[in-house]
Amino acid sequence: MSTIPITPDAADEPWVLPDRGTVGMACLIMAESAIFVIFVVAYIFYMGQSLSGPTPRQVLELPIFTTICLLSSSFTLHWAVAALRKSKMGAFTAWLATTVALGAIFIIGTGMEWYHLIYVDGLTIRTNLFGTTFYSLVGLHATHVIVGLLMLLAALIFALTGHVTEKHAHRMDVLSLYWHFVDAVWVVVFTVVYVLGR
Amino acid sequence: MADSVTSLTSVEAIDVTPVQKPRQLFLEVLYDWITTVDHKKIGLMYIAYSLVFLIVGGIEAIIMRIQLAVPHGTFVSPQVFNRMFTLHGTTMVFFVGMPILFGFGNYLVPLMIGARDMAFPRLNAFSFWISALGGILLYYSFIGGVGLYGAGSAPDVGWFAYAPLTAKVFSPGHSTDYWTLSILLSGIGSIGTALNIVTTIICMRCPGMKLNRMPLLSWLYLVTSSMVFIAISPLTAAQIMLLLDRYIGSHFFDTQAGGSAVLWMHFFWIFGHPEVYILVLPAFAFANEIIPVFSRKAVFGYPAMVAASVGIGFISMSVWAHHMFAVGMGAGANVFFVFSTMIISVPTGIKIFNWLATIWGGKIRFASPMLFSVGFLFQFLIAGLTGIMLSVAPFDWQLTGSYFVVAHFHYVLVGAILFMIFAAFYYWYPKVTGRMMSERLGKWHFWLMVIGFHMTFDFMHIPGLLGMPRRIYTYEPGRGWEIWNLIVSIGAIVQAVATLIFVYNLIHSYYKGEVAGNDPWDAWTLEWSTASPPPVYNFATTPVVHSRRPLWDIKHPEDPDWNYE
Ligand code: HEM
Ligand SMILES: [Cu+2]
């Protein structure tokens, strides 16, 4: 233990703390990831355990096009926020609209896939374990996409009515964190359900 | 937060009498509380709500113990007994333990890190109300069914609701749905609050409060709240699956369609075991604040304490299946979970030794908070020892469904957690109300509680070892269980009396207690620098700290704490 007092320097140090929105979103993402992990584990656990058909191989088709759309929407959103930061409002709105459109295509694609599965192949959540785990996992992800889409849509409306300025770039950052997360989850879901599961 | 930032130079001691506000209309007061976003009020609401449930859960425990006091008891029917232990377990874990910890966290964390409120005040209010709705829903199930006397249609599947007992065929009606929904809602509330606490601790600290200067309480809340994300979310996911099974006929836990009951066990215990640590870490947090102040020494081994807490957080995530040794997981899994369970006793042991080292050679004051802390140390040690016994798989095979296990986990839940919660009440009550709690009543409470606790839970080990299963509503005479069960039941009633004394003390001291002043315990953390009760904005000026014990620096300018860091 030293006897010479060390002069406290805290008051002079610049005091910057991480941003609330980002940390809060990071926490939310952690919690959400844990939920997804449980659903993915259930999916893997029950892979090939169904007592009756149809099997994934018989009915699932690779959703390549919608996947490309969803994944590229991460880039367009990134460019949107970058434009906003430079106060290029026109570019921002355009990229944001593209993002919303790409997300919408993905959801419509999922809807069409489900329609086909239910009415043509006769696979529902009650049919077998594959139906149970498939609809719950993909549905959970789709719910997240829809929530994200609604938020992006709100942002788009604000942008079109001229309520968004460069000052809001930070909020868009937080929102895009969520969107990137949803995209990343899709990579996992795609791999597990459509690649390994088939 | 745009006001001047000045160094904390003195304890703001002007007017110490609790402010007498002008009388408000009842409805106005109610409106204030319902719409509040102030972290202190929300904290108090959490605490009040869990106290109500503590009484309810206590009554359920007493009902079970009356039924089991003598062989061939006829106090309640078998089915009501099932409902009682289900509601008791669920209530105590979700509607006493969790909300009380979040209540204290809400109240204390911003004050101790020198912030004015939580990071997201409105989310805070939302989380509280959604959790409260969960609790109400659980008990609403009473009203829905065959009348109060038959205990309505309350859930009767046990607090871990093992599949396939929860399937529609075995649990017709809506009782299980009430259970599921209430857990789901309170889980969402917990995740919201945890998110808020983590963000507050990371983003709202006052200038100078580096991570290594935070009070240990904040550290522990950081760890617990982070655990909530990884532990409660799986539970939420599992509850969603259960609801899907029950409502739209999916087959997650439906063994008839190839679903697995063991999967539910895994999902439940992936939550269930960390949950115990989520509850016990705040108890540690209180001990970390109280033991040093009442020993007049800085806490021993601050960095080791932090490291041990983080370590406990991590290891506790990998031990869940020690609740499933009897399921037949295979030797490999058993060995893994035996060892991971045993390893967790290392950081826990570090903490116990550090507390002992803090007390060692200190000037100890045995006021009520310290009494309860000492009780905690002793009882937690014993609980840890029976825990290690149970972590040995073959031993667990013999005793897992017996009263021995009930005795073990109540040693943790009551002997450690509840005792530290009581200590926290005595310690922070003066800050919250401006008045001290009665020491005389506090001593009565403590001694009755200790006697009742040991009568109940020490002796509960014995019928367990003699083979008495848990969750039986009655038993035959002549197996050597009678005398022990009678003692256990009497002990439970002694504990109930002690708790009533405590509740009386809470109310009585609010009106008649000695005026406390800002810093009645001569403590060192920031919450004691502001008025009692703290004003809405917590601090007149944002404090700046230079060490782990800012109030010590003020009181002892000749020997400030930062010399020793
Ligand atoms: C203070 C007095 C208490 C008494 C006398 C008491 C008594 C009991 C009894 C008799 C049972 C049923 C055992 C069985 O038949 O299997 C039980 C179960 C349980 N108790 Fe307590 N209890 C007390 C406090 C608490 C507290 C504070 C908590 C949690 C924070 C708690 C959590 C539980 C749990 C989780 C169960 C298991 C329920 C189940 O088997 O589904 N208890 N308790
Ligand atoms: Cu455990």
Side-chain angles (χ1 to χ4, degrees):
Chain A
M1 272 182 231
S2 83
T3 44
I4 309 152
I6 301 160
T7 324
D9 46 5
D12 320 324
E13 279 172 23
W15 188 245
V16 268
L17 290 171
D19 160 75
R20 274 190 287 176
T22 316
V23 175
M25 184 52 82
C27 293
L28 184 71
I29 288 177
M30 241 205 297
E32 294 269 16
S33 312
I35 294 185
F36 275 109
V37 165
I38 293 296
F39 275 88
V40 170
V41 165
Y43 194 94
I44 296 176
F45 187 85
Y46 286 138
M47 221 141 69
Q49 305 280 322
S50 295
L51 301 183
S52 61
T55 61
R57 194 156 250 311
Q58 289 163 340
V59 292
L60 281 193
E61 274 162 41
L62 282 182
I64 305 275
F65 174 66
T66 51
T67 300
I68 293 175
C69 288
L70 188 67
L71 295 188
S72 39
S73 73
S74 254
F75 292 97
T76 54
L77 186 59
H78 179 80
W79 292 325
V81 183
L84 180 61
R85 194 157 283 124
K86 291 189 208 118
S87 272
K88 291 186 192 149
M89 295 314 294
F92 167 66
T93 318
W95 282 126
L96 189 57
T98 321
T99 312
V100 172
L102 288 171
I105 293 177
F106 177 81
I107 282 297
I108 294 168
T110 308
M112 280 160 52
E113 180 195 30
W114 283 33
Y115 184 88
H116 197 270
L117 286 175
I118 295 173
Y119 292 102
V120 180
D121 303 319
L123 178 78
T124 68
I125 199 165
R126 295 162 167 248
T127 310
N128 55 16
L129 280 174
F130 163 54
T132 294
T133 47
F134 173 80
Y135 285 109
S136 51
L137 177 57
V138 175
L140 185 70
H141 177 261
T143 316
H144 282 77
V145 177
I146 293 175
V147 171
L149 264 182
L150 290 178
M151 291 194 288
L152 289 173
L153 202 61
L156 184 62
I157 292 172
F158 284 129
L160 289 172
T161 50
H163 286 86
V164 182
T165 64
E166 192 209 318
K167 275 186 297 195
H168 299 103
H170 173 62
R171 293 192 189 179
M172 284 306 294
D173 263 343
V174 176
L175 181 53
S176 60
L177 262 182
Y178 175 83
W179 191 252
H180 296 322
F181 162 68
V182 172
D183 273 9
V185 170
W186 181 249
V187 176
V188 176
V189 174
F190 183 85
T191 318
V192 170
V193 174
Y194 294 94
V195 181
L196 300 178
R198 253 158 52 97
Chain B
M1 213 159 281
D3 59 303
S4 64
V5 176
T6 48
S7 235
L8 197 65
T9 46
S10 70
V11 177
E12 289 167 21
I14 325 136
D15 184 12
V16 292
T17 36
V19 200
Q20 286 291 310
K21 290 211 204 84
R23 266 170 152 267
Q24 279 176 298
L25 282 178
F26 174 71
L27 277 180
E28 279 173 12
V29 179
L30 195 66
Y31 182 80
D32 270 3
W33 281 89
I34 289 180
T35 57
T36 188
V37 293
D38 177 28
H39 73 98
K40 296 187 289 298
K41 281 189 168 171
I42 293 176
L44 291 180
M45 288 199 291
Y46 265 121
I47 291 173
Y49 149 88
S50 51
L51 276 179
V52 171
F53 278 117
L54 179 67
I55 307 276
V56 174
I59 292 172
E60 286 153 1
I62 297 292
I63 291 176
M64 286 189 281
R65 282 320 315 176
I66 293 177
Q67 165 72 10
L68 291 173
V70 290
H72 287 315
T74 50
F75 185 64
V76 291
S77 71
Q79 197 176 20
V80 170
F81 189 87
N82 290 353
R83 289 176 169 157
M84 285 302 124
F85 73 64
T86 304
L87 285 175
H88 166 77
T90 310
T91 305
M92 287 296 193
V93 171
F94 291 100
F95 303 114
V96 179
M98 297 286 279
I100 220 161
L101 99 86
F102 282 137
F104 277 101
N106 249 301
Y107 198 98
L108 292 174
V109 163
L111 279 169
M112 293 182 93
I113 61 172
R116 293 205 151 166
D117 207 325
M118 298 281 271
F120 309 108
R122 268 176 292 183
L123 173 67
N124 205 12
F126 168 80
S127 309
F128 168 76
W129 288 107
I130 200 100
S131 308
L133 186 63
I136 292 166
L137 208 57
L138 184 65
Y139 280 88
Y140 181 78
S141 61
F142 267 96
I143 303 169
V146 283
L148 281 180
Y149 185 65
S153 62
D156 56 1
V157 289
W159 88 286
F160 26 66
Y162 279 161
L165 199 55
T166 47
K168 266 277 194 239
V169 267
F170 299 112
S171 296
H174 288 299
S175 57
T176 306
D177 301 319
Y178 280 121
W179 182 83
T180 312
L181 282 171
S182 86
I183 306 286
L184 192 69
L185 290 182
S186 81
I188 293 173
S190 308
I191 293 173
T193 309
L195 185 153
N196 223 332
I197 290 180
V198 170
T199 314
T200 307
I201 293 176
I202 295 185
C203 307
M204 310 284 283
R205 280 164 289 136
C206 71
M209 174 113 16
K210 299 177 185 162
L211 281 180
N212 64 357
R213 283 186 189 151
M214 285 199 311
L216 278 175
L217 183 136
S218 322
W219 262 111
L220 278 260
Y221 267 89
L222 191 60
V223 176
T224 328
S225 308
S226 315
M227 286 175 67
V228 166
F229 304 138
I230 341 185
I232 310 270
S233 303
L235 179 70
T236 309
Q239 303 291 1
I240 297 175
M241 292 177 184
L242 184 55
L243 277 180
L244 290 179
D245 271 13
R246 288 183 58 87
Y247 274 107
I248 55 177
S250 63
H251 307 292
F252 282 109
F253 310 117
D254 173 6
T255 40
Q256 296 290 303
S260 161
V262 177
L263 191 68
W264 170 268
M265 295 183 88
H266 277 293
F267 287 170
F268 186 86
W269 287 115
I270 282 174
F271 146 79
H273 186 82
E275 170 71 7
V276 180
Y277 287 88
I278 290 175
L279 296 177
V280 86
L281 286 178
F284 291 173
F286 304 150
N288 282 333
E289 299 305 316
I290 294 171
I291 290 176
V293 166
F294 287 87
S295 313
R296 308 308 308 153
K297 281 169 66 187
V299 70
F300 181 87
Y302 178 100
M305 285 294 218
V306 172
S309 316
V310 177
I312 289 176
F314 275 106
I315 305 174
S316 70
M317 296 287 173
S318 61
V319 302
W320 75 86
H322 64 208
H323 296 267
M324 299 165 60
F325 286 142
V327 175
M329 292 182 297
N334 280 355
V335 168
F336 174 81
F337 286 105
V338 166
F339 280 104
S340 59
T341 304
M342 287 181 173
I343 282 173
I344 207 164
S345 56
V346 174
T348 317
I350 293 178
K351 300 200 82 128
I352 293 191
F353 281 117
N354 278 359
W355 285 318
L356 291 179
T358 309
I359 297 177
W360 192 265
K363 284 205 272 324
I364 306 169
R365 292 181 288 173
F366 281 112
S368 306
M370 187 62 173
L371 281 179
F372 276 97
S373 307
V374 173
F376 153 81
L377 273 183
F378 178 67
Q379 286 149 196
F380 185 63
L381 186 68
I382 297 180
L385 294 179
T386 52
I388 294 186
M389 290 161 78
L390 286 170
S391 75
V392 182
F395 188 88
D396 185 76
W397 289 335
Q398 300 304 314
L399 289 166
T400 185
S402 80
Y403 254 78
F404 189 89
V405 170
V406 183
H408 157 70
F409 71 67
H410 281 86
Y411 242 86
V412 183
L413 294 170
V414 181
I417 298 171
L418 195 62
F419 266 63
M420 256 352 275
I421 287 173
F422 285 141
F425 267 103
Y426 286 98
Y427 184 62
W428 279 292
Y429 190 88
K431 181 48 50 185
V432 176
T433 62
R435 292 180 188 271
M436 308 293 285
M437 282 178 83
S438 156
E439 270 297 313
R440 198 170 50 83
L441 289 176
K443 298 246 153 68
W444 272 99
H445 173 205
F446 174 72
W447 287 110
L448 277 180
M449 194 71 201
V450 169
I451 294 170
F453 172 80
H454 286 281
M455 273 177 81
T456 308
F457 296 113
D458 291 3
F459 291 109
M460 204 185 260
H461 289 94
I462 300 173
L465 288 170
L466 295 179
M468 178 169 164
R470 61 193 284 204
R471 297 195 218 102
I472 50 171
Y473 76 102
T474 191
Y475 51 92
E476 296 285 321
R479 298 189 178 168
W481 302 347
E482 295 98 320
I483 177 72
W484 309 118
N485 272 298
L486 190 62
I487 298 176
V488 167
S489 294
I490 296 172
I493 291 169
V494 176
Q495 289 182 75
V497 174
T499 310
L500 289 181
I501 294 179
F502 164 73
V503 173
Y504 172 77
N505 195 355
L506 280 183
I507 299 168
H508 179 79
S509 303
Y510 184 76
Y511 298 104
K512 299 273 158 58
E514 208 184 303
V515 171
N518 293 349
D519 184 16
W521 307 116
D522 192 8
W524 302 308
T525 35
L526 277 183
E527 79 270 30
W528 303 102
S529 73
T530 184
S532 306
V536 204
Y537 46 82
N538 289 354
F539 301 98
T541 53
T542 305
V544 175
V545 298
H546 307 293
S547 76
R548 278 176 204 149
R549 299 192 297 165
L551 265 60
W552 170 276
D553 303 344
I554 296 167
K555 291 170 193 165
H556 304 271
E558 74 293 347
D559 181 27
D561 225 23
W562 60 74
N563 290 353
Y564 306 105
E565 270 174 20

